[in-house]
Amino acid sequence: MLDNHLNFINLEKNPVILFPVRHHSPVCSYHLRRLIRDYQPEIILIEGPENANALIPTLTDEKTQLPAAIYYFYKDKKKYVSEDAEDYHCYYPFLYASPEYQAMQQAKKLQIPAKFIDLPYSEILIHTRAAKGLRTEQDQHNYADDSYLVRSRFYERLCEKTNLRNFEEFWEKYFEIAGLRLSTPEFWHQMYTYCSLTRQSTPEEELKADGCLAREQHMAYRIQETMQDYRKILVVTGGFHTPGLEKLLNLKIKPVKLHKFSEDIQNCYPIAYSYEAADALRGYASGMMHPGFYDGISCDLEKLENQDSDNLTIYRSHALELIAKTAKESTKKDIMLSIADMTSAFSLTENLASLRNSPEPGIFEVYDGVTGAFIKGEKTLASSLPLDLLEKIATGSGIGHIGGTSHVPPLITDFENQCRKFRIKASTAVPQECEISLFTSEKDLEKSRFFHRMQFLQTEFCKRLKGADLHRNKDRNRVRELWRYCRNPQTDAVLVDHTTDGATLETACHCVAVRQIRINRRCDVVAGICVDCFLMGIALSEQDYQLIEEILTNDGDFFSLGQGLYYFDMLCQLRDLYHFTDPGNFKYLEQCYSKLIALLPSMSAVQPEQAEDCVKICKLLYSISERILSSRQEEFKSALITLTQRQQKEAAVYGAVMGLLYAMDGSYLEQAESAMQGYLNGSAGLRKQGALYLRGLFETARDIALTDRKFLCMADELLSGMDYPDFMEILPSLRLAFRYFTPFEIQQIAGEIAKLHEMQSGEDLLEVQGIDEELVLFGSELDTEICRILRKNNRDNRSN
């Protein structure tokens, strides 16, 4: 092969041209289009996973709107990557400023082939060491990585020499803006020189560890293969790879061994992407800051490609537009800016560019100009709002759209169809809000179910701000829901991951729900999933019913069954309101009820920390026996009696059970009094248990304290006869015991107690004596002084 470096200018004699780029760079796209026009290649090879070649027509489809991305996933079931057998995924984003996208578009215009030649995602992972490259621990991985160009040791020295604040400012000045004034060969040599020097400062071992050398070997092999069939080949890769590929192409390359994976193990799909996700400031390693701003630059450069580069004023006009938009948005936030402020900001921007020897002002001059002209006085968190708005505008809020449907997962298609049906804005990355009146119309209920389905799949598309929370039994009387939603790359990525679960959101949610039921074989978890299905409007099948019944049969946990009973009871109550009836819920309720009654007597010796939950379940059983299963009330009563006959009894549960028996049969009042008398006449430890007994009793039958004077006398005797330390120990439980009474009932009880102690009224008992304010201040000063002395003593001890 001819030396690419020396023969670049002689295009006719050069069979292969390696064009180095920075991903998403407008100037690289600009010169790439010029090179394609002059070189007229027969084929264009692009850095990208070769198993995604079938997606190129979709990405270049006329109806596709950028930003878009290729989403890859690989499931390491055979443990080629590590013994953890994890699932991996990454993105390969495309903007209008992306040279790779421009290469595909230009190939389409010239009607020549365009191909990806890099290793598939799985092979890169296999050739990458742990905690390196695509195997680092971060939320969002990207296939193309410019980190070597952006974070090398070489660029740090460049910034020092040029007195620039960071690499992005250096890149914009010397490449994006100044590069437009260079010829394509001159720009190529400048880019190649920078990439070569950067590569020289990177150790070979580091390149091997993150899979870079394996990728270059594979790309070089594909290029040599292509040279056998084509005479003019253009290769577009990240600039860091160009020197490595040039060296390899003069050698005989052996192919990298590739593994064969089925589509459910490894696959890729085109998805919508957002400018926000493509922003380098938000962790995208291959991105440039302010992608919306640079994408606008790139689109204008394409329109003015044949214009004399010395007369370009694109950055100047975009800087003025950016300042005007920032002023407009600032005015909406009640920051009053005048025409003079805007003029001053633009003048400052141009003067700074001239002072810094830049042909045109860039984004960094705009930032400095807005800072100087729009921020009045000291720069604070509040006064810097114009800068925040400027960053938001420069980043961009748009989200792409995939036009062709041949390679779009059906789940994403269904999602977009649902958005159109319910008039949900899915084409913007700006958060939107939607209020739904649940029971006004069937369509509103369907919209609510759509949001619940997206939430159930954990797509990060929506979040409920207001509305009934059935899982936590909060706000069940709310008839409106308020949702905040926003489409982002994670939304599409999750939908791609669930493609194997179904072609529609409904079928995918049903599949995921059943899978979770099979994994979590507990009544409380299964019942919670049934609540999700209820909210999503998803009916379970007969096979699912059998699975759930089997799980309930095998679950012997009293508290798990109790939580399940609560959920199934709630679903039975709400079925008519939500217009959704699942015949299985009543069966599950009966099954839980039966198992709980069988287990109830064993709860006599429940642990104290579980007593409150046990009492709640007992109350629920009583309520269901009153409302729904009245024919089984005697069975429930028998279980309660059996519990009271156990030798060891937890006091709070015992009290609650006695209250329920009294509510079912008034003759149990004497037995409740007798139990209270037992605590009264017992040891000091047993007397303290009496407070817990009261707590349980008052929770289920508080009218005893209001109607039975004898019982009230015993309670008074119990508490009055305690020593002060014992009383303080039970005080928290005592407070909980009386929380079930209304203020009026508290006054009634106070009046009865006052009569017992021959006081005039209960008002005297309820009065709380105020604390002297001066005494509180003195105590605070005393505490401060004690802390000061202790700190001083600690310092003295450490010094000694």
Side-chain angles (χ1 to χ4, degrees):
M1 169 187 169
L2 296 175
D3 190 325
N4 192 76
H5 191 195
L6 297 176
N7 292 278
F8 178 82
I9 298 177
N10 192 351
L11 299 179
E12 292 299 324
K13 294 183 178 180
N14 203 342
V16 176
I17 291 182
L18 305 176
F19 192 82
V21 301
R22 183 186 178 191
H23 303 293
H24 316 309
S25 164
V27 71
C28 290
S29 295
Y30 173 75
H31 283 293
L32 177 61
R33 288 192 298 268
R34 293 167 68 96
L35 173 61
I36 293 172
R37 180 193 64 192
D38 297 337
Y39 182 50
Q40 291 292 305
E42 297 176 0
I43 187 172
I44 301 178
L45 304 181
I46 305 166
E47 176 189 340
E50 61 184 14
N51 61 328
N53 277 319
L55 304 185
I56 292 178
T58 301
L59 293 170
T60 56
D61 189 277
E62 293 179 356
K63 296 180 181 179
T64 295
Q65 299 175 6
L66 302 188
I70 301 176
Y71 174 73
Y72 304 90
F73 69 84
Y74 169 63
K75 300 178 180 181
D76 191 31
K77 293 183 178 180
K78 294 186 178 181
K79 302 181 180 180
Y80 286 123
V81 178
S82 72
E83 291 299 317
D84 297 329
E86 296 178 313
D87 294 345
Y88 300 89
H89 64 270
C90 75
Y91 302 85
Y92 189 177
F94 297 95
L95 310 178
Y96 292 107
S98 304
E100 298 88 349
Y101 174 76
Q102 293 297 329
M104 291 187 290
Q105 278 285 19
Q106 294 302 313
K108 181 180 179 181
K109 288 181 180 179
L110 294 175
Q111 298 182 348
I112 62 174
K115 292 183 179 180
F116 292 129
I117 57 171
D118 205 346
L119 284 173
Y121 176 50
S122 59
E123 301 296 342
I124 298 177
L125 291 169
I126 292 171
H127 287 86
T128 302
R129 294 179 189 170
K132 297 290 184 180
L134 290 176
R135 292 183 60 189
T136 54
E137 294 184 2
Q138 62 186 61
D139 293 336
Q140 181 171 311
H141 284 286
N142 299 279
Y143 186 91
D145 193 341
D146 275 334
S147 56
Y148 283 123
L149 295 181
V150 176
R151 302 187 182 95
S152 68
R153 302 175 183 88
F154 176 62
Y155 100 84
E156 295 176 357
R157 294 289 295 151
L158 281 177
C159 291
E160 291 176 9
K161 290 291 184 180
T162 55
N163 293 319
L164 296 174
R165 288 166 284 192
N166 52 49
F167 172 80
E168 296 296 342
E169 187 174 7
F170 164 81
W171 175 268
E172 183 183 63
K173 178 179 178 181
Y174 289 103
F175 283 87
E176 293 299 336
I177 297 177
L180 293 176
R181 274 81 184 164
L182 300 175
S183 67
T184 299
E186 289 173 334
F187 176 80
W188 185 94
H189 283 293
Q190 178 173 303
M191 186 74 181
Y192 182 91
T193 301
Y194 174 77
C195 295
S196 297
L197 293 172
T198 301
R199 191 176 179 105
Q200 290 175 14
S201 65
T202 306
E204 192 83 359
E205 184 63 26
E206 188 175 338
L207 299 180
K208 183 178 180 181
D210 71 359
C212 182
L213 296 184
R215 294 176 64 184
E216 290 175 357
Q217 179 184 342
H218 184 76
M219 287 192 284
Y221 178 77
R222 291 301 187 212
I223 294 170
Q224 288 185 345
E225 273 189 333
T226 308
M227 290 173 64
Q228 299 176 13
D229 300 320
Y230 295 91
R231 292 174 299 173
K232 297 175 71 175
I233 303 168
L234 176 61
V235 182
V236 181
T237 65
F240 189 82
H241 297 301
T242 304
L245 289 173
E246 183 181 30
K247 182 179 178 181
L248 289 173
L249 287 177
N250 290 309
L251 306 173
K252 180 63 176 177
I253 305 300
K254 295 182 179 180
V256 177
K257 181 182 177 181
L258 302 179
H259 300 79
K260 292 184 178 180
F261 298 110
S262 58
E263 291 186 356
D264 61 322
I265 297 295
Q266 173 182 267
N267 213 333
C268 54
Y269 294 94
I271 64 170
Y273 211 66
S274 69
Y275 282 116
E276 186 177 15
D279 189 358
L281 290 174
R282 287 161 177 79
Y284 174 32
S286 302
M288 293 179 59
M289 296 167 60
H290 317 113
F293 173 78
Y294 287 117
D295 232 21
I297 294 287
S298 182
C299 291
D300 283 355
L301 283 173
E302 188 172 4
K303 297 174 185 176
L304 304 174
E305 194 169 304
N306 297 320
Q307 184 175 323
D308 184 359
S309 59
D310 291 335
N311 297 324
L312 288 176
T313 58
I314 287 179
Y315 276 88
R316 183 178 184 274
S317 60
H318 275 265
L320 178 58
E321 182 181 0
L322 201 53
I323 290 172
K325 287 182 178 179
T326 303
K328 181 179 180 180
E329 293 301 317
S330 298
T331 303
K332 293 180 180 178
K333 301 293 184 180
D334 297 328
I335 300 176
M336 295 297 105
L337 297 172
S338 63
I339 298 296
D341 291 326
M342 294 172 58
T343 304
S344 175
F346 184 60
S347 176
L348 185 56
T349 297
E350 287 197 300
N351 291 336
L352 284 171
S354 177
L355 185 65
R356 295 167 181 172
N357 296 318
S358 179
E360 289 186 87
I363 190 68
F364 292 93
E365 284 73 35
V366 173
Y367 264 86
D368 293 337
V370 168
T371 302
F374 286 6
I375 297 179
K376 314 295 185 181
E378 183 182 359
K379 183 180 177 181
T380 63
L381 188 64
S383 65
S384 62
L385 180 58
L387 291 179
D388 297 334
L389 296 172
L390 171 60
E391 180 182 325
K392 185 176 180 180
I393 296 168
T395 297
S397 60
I399 191 166
H401 170 70
I402 303 300
T405 59
S406 56
H407 292 282
V408 177
L411 202 56
I412 292 182
T413 302
D414 183 60
F415 160 72
E416 292 178 341
N417 290 338
Q418 296 281 340
C419 288
R420 283 192 290 271
K421 176 182 177 181
F422 298 120
R423 298 183 180 179
I424 294 171
K425 297 179 181 178
S427 59
T428 176
V430 178
Q432 308 287 323
E433 290 189 356
C434 176
E435 187 176 70
I436 301 174
S437 298
L438 285 175
F439 313 117
T440 302
S441 67
E442 187 65 29
K443 188 173 183 179
D444 282 339
L445 199 54
E446 289 180 10
K447 186 188 293 187
S448 171
R449 288 168 179 169
F450 164 74
F451 281 122
H452 279 289
R453 289 171 185 178
M454 294 298 292
Q455 189 178 57
F456 180 73
L457 292 178
Q458 298 180 343
T459 61
E460 297 185 13
F461 173 71
C462 55
K463 180 181 180 182
R464 188 183 62 234
L465 303 180
K466 295 179 181 178
D469 187 345
L470 303 187
H471 282 281
R472 295 189 294 173
N473 193 26
K474 292 181 62 178
D475 302 324
R476 277 178 52 179
N477 59 336
R478 284 186 177 269
V479 296
R480 292 178 181 270
E481 288 181 340
L482 180 63
W483 292 85
R484 177 174 294 157
Y485 66 92
C486 174
R487 187 175 182 178
N488 56 69
Q490 177 69 11
T491 301
D492 289 50
V494 172
L495 292 176
V496 169
D497 288 338
H498 285 294
T499 295
T500 55
D501 292 321
T504 65
L505 291 174
E506 183 175 358
T507 55
C509 288
H510 177 260
C511 184
V512 172
V514 173
R515 184 164 62 245
Q516 290 182 2
I517 290 173
R518 293 184 185 277
I519 295 172
N520 303 288
R521 303 180 70 87
R522 283 177 54 88
C523 178
D524 53 350
V525 177
V526 169
I529 295 172
C530 288
V531 172
D532 289 322
C533 291
F534 179 85
L535 292 170
M536 295 186 291
I538 294 176
L540 299 176
S541 66
E542 189 64 35
Q543 188 176 2
D544 301 332
Y545 295 151
Q546 294 175 3
L547 174 62
I548 295 174
E549 289 177 8
E550 177 188 342
I551 293 173
L552 299 187
T553 301
N554 296 329
D555 193 347
D557 187 329
F558 183 83
F559 298 99
S560 173
L561 291 164
Q563 183 65 35
L565 181 67
Y566 161 73
Y567 281 143
F568 295 132
D569 179 42
M570 176 183 64
L571 296 182
C572 289
Q573 294 181 53
L574 297 177
R575 57 189 175 186
D576 294 333
L577 184 62
Y578 280 80
H579 305 292
F580 185 81
T581 302
D582 190 333
N585 289 328
F586 186 74
K587 293 180 181 179
Y588 309 146
L589 182 144
E590 283 191 303
Q591 196 171 356
C592 289
Y593 185 89
S594 297
K595 293 210 68 175
L596 285 168
I597 288 179
L599 293 170
L600 185 56
S602 64
M603 291 296 105
S604 62
V606 71
Q607 295 297 316
E609 60 270 17
Q610 295 179 306
E612 185 174 358
D613 291 334
C614 183
V615 170
K616 289 181 179 178
I617 295 172
C618 291
K619 289 175 64 178
L620 179 59
L621 289 168
Y622 172 76
S623 174
I624 291 174
S625 69
E626 288 280 305
R627 292 183 287 106
I628 305 174
L629 302 176
S630 56
S631 61
R632 304 187 62 179
Q633 198 170 47
E634 287 300 319
E635 186 180 350
F636 172 55
K637 182 178 178 182
S638 177
L640 294 177
I641 294 172
T642 304
L643 185 147
T644 62
Q645 294 171 349
R646 294 291 176 95
Q647 185 173 0
Q648 185 179 358
K649 295 183 286 289
E650 204 284 329
V653 174
Y654 184 33
V657 169
M658 292 306 301
L660 290 174
L661 287 171
Y662 167 70
M664 299 171 73
D665 185 350
S667 64
Y668 278 89
L669 176 60
E670 293 183 6
Q671 191 171 335
E673 292 175 348
S674 177
M676 185 65 191
Q677 190 68 45
Y679 286 111
L680 184 62
N681 298 331
S683 62
L686 195 60
R687 290 170 69 88
K688 286 190 288 186
Q689 291 291 311
L692 296 175
Y693 175 82
L694 283 177
R695 174 180 164 185
L697 184 67
F698 289 166
E699 183 167 359
T700 55
R702 70 176 190 270
D703 58 317
I704 290 180
L706 301 172
T707 60
D708 188 0
R709 183 179 177 84
K710 180 181 178 182
F711 188 89
L712 203 60
C713 292
M714 286 191 293
D716 180 67
E717 184 180 352
L718 173 71
L719 301 177
S720 302
M722 282 187 176
D723 295 334
Y724 183 76
D726 291 341
F727 179 79
M728 294 304 296
E729 183 179 343
I730 68 161
L731 186 58
S733 295
L734 201 60
R735 288 183 180 276
L736 290 173
F738 281 89
R739 68 179 174 175
Y740 307 107
F741 295 98
T742 65
F744 177 73
E745 290 171 341
I746 292 290
Q747 288 182 347
Q748 282 185 295
I749 295 172
E752 293 297 324
I753 297 296
K755 294 176 181 178
L756 291 177
H757 292 273
E758 298 180 353
M759 301 175 67
Q760 290 185 354
S761 70
E763 299 293 334
D764 297 336
L765 292 175
L766 298 176
E767 286 183 0
V768 178
Q769 185 176 0
I771 301 175
D772 189 351
E773 186 177 352
E774 293 184 1
L775 184 61
V776 173
L777 292 173
F778 175 74
S780 177
E781 293 173 0
L782 190 61
D783 287 342
T784 303
E785 183 64 18
I786 291 172
C787 291
R788 185 190 67 78
I789 295 172
L790 289 174
R791 284 194 296 268
K792 181 178 181 300
N793 291 340
N794 288 335
R795 288 195 296 269
D796 293 343
N797 292 335
R798 284 196 297 268
S799 62
N800 293 333

